[in-house]
Amino acid sequence: MTAVFRHELRLLFSGLTAYVYGAFSLIFVAVYMMYYNLTAGYANFEFALAGASFAFIITIPILTMRVIAEEKKQKTDQLLYSLPISTAQIVVGKFLALLLTSVIPMCIVAVYPLILKNYGSLYLPTSYGALFGYAMTAAALISMGIFISSITESQPMAAGICFAAMVLNYYMVTLAEYTASSAYGSLVAIVVLEVILALIIRHMTRNDILAQGFGLVSVAVTAGLYFYRSEWFEGLLPKILSNLSVYERFYEFVDGIFDYTHVIYFVSVIVFFLFLTVQSLEKRRYN
């Protein structure tokens, strides 16, 4: 795993990927800090981090698009399978290299609250709590990007799908509130999500029976619950998406709420998507 970590880190810094990611990250934080803290005069550095989190929509696809997709395109992933380590160790090694790359700019950002403290009544615990949530959000989104990179051999396609996933994660609660606040709207949206999940299961397992069985059972159960108690579906989708959204959890840190359940949530998201990545690589390995 250490060899994979070092190799991936060397690739990131021998090219432009790490530097472009770091530049975008620092620029966005600096712009929002200038707007909220210096121009508007807010004594809350966490507001700048909340605004800068929008940059993940651009930076995460840049950082993760080649991590596995390029290996598959160049057929060098077959060399990884020959290493005396498990697929899980390969994935974790790559994840840690990307995570370190994302954390390095944050070490510079960590100095900003100390500078602002000299010019106002900045409360450092909430600032650094938000910075911790900012780092956890980056880690969770990186794990998603790695999984997306593992399902294609094209870097542009991996970047495009990852960009769409980041945009959806950023806006999904707002969109759900506008489009699916009614019971019927929630029903339709949930059924669509179940069908998409069944297609993902089909892609991951190549098992038509499992995918069709999951799709039919989940849709039937959802429809049955709707006809039994339709009022349960009033505003249901926004509530579900609010609990699933990575950004919604991060905003809790911005509001000064440091809840260990949010940390467990981020860790669970990371483990879940890394597990899916391992399964995706294992399927290609045995094929």
Side-chain angles (χ1 to χ4, degrees):
M1 185 175 72
T2 304
V4 174
F5 169 78
R6 291 177 178 174
H7 173 72
E8 195 63 36
L9 204 61
R10 186 163 53 251
L11 286 177
L12 288 168
F13 283 92
S14 62
L16 294 176
T17 303
Y19 303 103
V20 171
Y21 176 87
F24 268 104
S25 299
L26 293 175
I27 288 171
F28 269 84
V29 174
V31 167
Y32 280 99
M33 185 183 73
M34 183 178 297
Y35 175 76
Y36 283 113
N37 303 122
L38 301 181
T39 303
Y42 289 112
N44 301 88
F45 181 67
E46 50 270 27
F47 291 173
L49 293 176
S53 65
F54 179 81
F56 289 142
I57 295 176
I58 301 171
T59 57
I60 297 299
I62 292 174
L63 187 62
T64 61
M65 64 180 181
R66 56 147 297 278
V67 63
I68 295 178
E70 184 66 13
E71 298 267 14
K72 295 169 69 174
K73 182 179 180 180
Q74 300 295 336
K75 308 301 182 183
T76 54
D77 59 327
Q78 299 176 14
L79 296 176
L80 293 176
Y81 299 143
S82 65
L83 295 175
I85 56 176
S86 64
T87 305
Q89 290 175 308
I90 294 172
V91 172
V92 172
K94 288 179 174 291
F95 169 74
L96 292 178
L98 295 179
L99 181 60
L100 179 60
T101 304
S102 70
V103 168
I104 290 174
M106 296 180 197
C107 294
I108 301 175
V109 172
V111 181
Y112 295 172
L114 298 176
I115 298 174
L116 294 174
K117 179 70 173 177
N118 295 325
Y119 300 96
S121 56
L122 192 72
Y123 189 56
L124 292 179
T126 56
S127 297
Y128 285 108
L131 185 59
F132 174 77
Y134 187 78
M136 294 298 293
T137 303
L141 296 178
I142 286 171
S143 67
M144 294 183 193
I146 292 175
F147 168 66
I148 293 171
S149 181
S150 71
I151 61 177
T152 179
E153 296 182 359
S154 170
Q155 287 191 55
M157 182 175 293
I161 296 174
C162 187
F163 176 79
M166 298 300 110
V167 171
L168 178 62
N169 199 290
Y170 190 84
Y171 289 109
M172 66 181 181
V173 175
T174 303
L175 292 174
E177 290 175 350
Y178 281 103
T179 61
S181 58
S182 66
Y184 181 73
S186 295
L187 171 66
V188 173
I190 291 173
V191 169
V192 170
L193 290 176
E194 289 170 343
V195 172
I196 293 174
L197 186 56
L199 294 175
I200 293 175
I201 293 174
R202 167 67 179 80
H203 174 77
M204 295 294 297
T205 64
R206 300 295 182 184
N207 190 323
D208 292 330
I209 296 177
L210 178 62
Q212 293 173 6
F214 171 83
L216 291 174
V217 171
S218 60
V219 170
V221 170
T222 302
L225 290 173
Y226 176 79
F227 287 113
Y228 176 68
R229 285 286 179 88
S230 61
E231 61 270 19
W232 288 353
F233 287 78
E234 292 287 347
L236 178 61
L237 185 65
K239 292 178 182 177
I240 293 175
L241 294 182
S242 178
N243 289 323
L244 292 179
S245 173
V246 172
Y247 279 96
E248 290 299 312
R249 300 282 180 158
F250 166 61
Y251 294 148
E252 295 288 329
F253 286 95
V254 173
D255 293 336
I257 302 173
F258 194 95
D259 192 340
Y260 72 92
T261 58
H262 298 331
V263 179
I264 295 174
Y265 164 80
F266 282 119
V267 173
S268 301
V269 170
I270 293 169
V271 172
F272 175 70
F273 280 102
L274 292 185
F275 170 77
L276 291 182
T277 305
V278 171
Q279 298 307 308
S280 177
L281 293 181
E282 284 290 319
K283 181 190 70 174
R284 178 178 173 84
R285 181 178 196 170
Y286 288 117
N287 287 342

